[in-house]
Structure formats: structure tokens, C-alpha cells
Amino acid sequence: MPYIKLKLVEGRDLETKRLLVSNITKAVIETLQTTPDNVRVELIEINEDLFSIGGELMIDKNN
């Protein structure tokens, strides 16, 4: 059973997340020749003040 964990910076709306998990599921089904019921996708939202790139917090990069 495929289990995908995807971390992303929070702030996307529910419709965007629905589309994302739908597209990921379709890709996994097609690639691994499995069924939708076997695919698990976990979205892990990270707050901008808990995530950094190049030593700088994302919240500071976005200001």
C-alpha cells in the first residue's frame, strides 16, 4: 500500500489541497498499477516560522 507524506508550507486553500491529493493519487495508481483505495496521502502543513531555507526562516523571506 503506497503511503505518501507531503510537507508543505501552510496557507493553501482546501480546493487546492483536494486537487493536489487527487493528482498525486492518480499518478500513484498509474505508476504502481494499484487502486485508489490502496493509496494514502498525508499532507503535513508547516508554519512559515518553523521552516527555513538557506538559514533564513520562510516567514522572513516572504516579508
Side-chain angles (χ1 to χ4, degrees):
M1 165 182 359
Y3 189 100
I4 295 94
K5 287 186 176 187
L6 179 66
K7 294 180 182 180
L8 60 158
V9 175
E10 66 185 6
R12 291 167 179 85
D13 62 45
L14 191 55
E15 282 305 311
T16 300
K17 290 183 244 182
R18 284 186 178 121
L19 181 60
L20 176 62
V21 297
S22 176
N23 287 337
I24 291 170
T25 300
K26 288 175 190 172
V28 171
I29 290 167
E30 187 176 308
T31 304
L32 300 180
Q33 302 297 304
T34 190
T35 64
D37 290 341
N38 285 327
V39 179
R40 308 289 187 268
V41 179
E42 178 182 359
L43 299 180
I44 303 164
E45 292 188 295
I46 302 170
N47 190 293
E48 282 185 317
D49 63 356
L50 300 174
F51 182 75
S52 70
I53 295 177
E56 187 176 0
L57 290 173
M58 286 299 297
I59 197 165
D60 296 332
K61 285 185 174 279
N62 290 332
N63 290 330

